[in-house]
Amino acid sequence: MADDDQMTRQRYRQQTSDADDAGETSSASRREYAAENNRALEEAKTKRLGRKLNWVILGLTFAIIIVFLILFFTP
């Protein structure tokens, strides 16, 4: 009976390694989730920045056209 309550070293090491493996997978999945979340945020920021840059380019193009029109059509 007393032998059944005691744990062998091999069994103890196996249980602790199983617990460590379970902890690593949860932290690994957290890292994967965080990395995916960061990638999604970067993509959203890139799209927003691209849209803003397109508007700026369009505005500068119109400004250049207006300046040329003023320069060539004023006496």
Side-chain angles (χ1 to χ4, degrees):
M1 277 267 175
D3 292 336
D4 292 337
D5 293 336
Q6 292 181 350
M7 189 179 299
T8 63
R9 287 183 184 176
Q10 182 181 7
R11 182 182 247 177
Y12 176 76
R13 289 179 183 159
Q14 186 178 16
Q15 284 181 351
T16 55
S17 68
D18 290 344
D20 289 342
D21 291 342
E24 288 176 9
T25 57
S26 65
S27 65
S29 65
R30 287 181 191 159
R31 287 187 203 126
E32 291 171 4
Y33 174 75
E36 182 65 30
N37 195 16
N38 286 338
R39 273 184 248 132
L41 286 173
E42 286 177 11
E43 287 177 11
K45 287 180 181 180
T46 304
K47 285 182 181 179
R48 250 192 336 243
L49 183 62
R51 233 179 263 129
K52 286 181 182 179
L53 287 174
N54 286 338
W55 280 107
V56 168
I57 291 169
L58 183 67
L60 288 174
T61 304
F62 283 135
I64 290 171
I65 291 171
I66 290 172
V67 167
F68 276 121
L69 288 175
I70 291 172
L71 287 174
F72 289 119
F73 290 119
T74 56

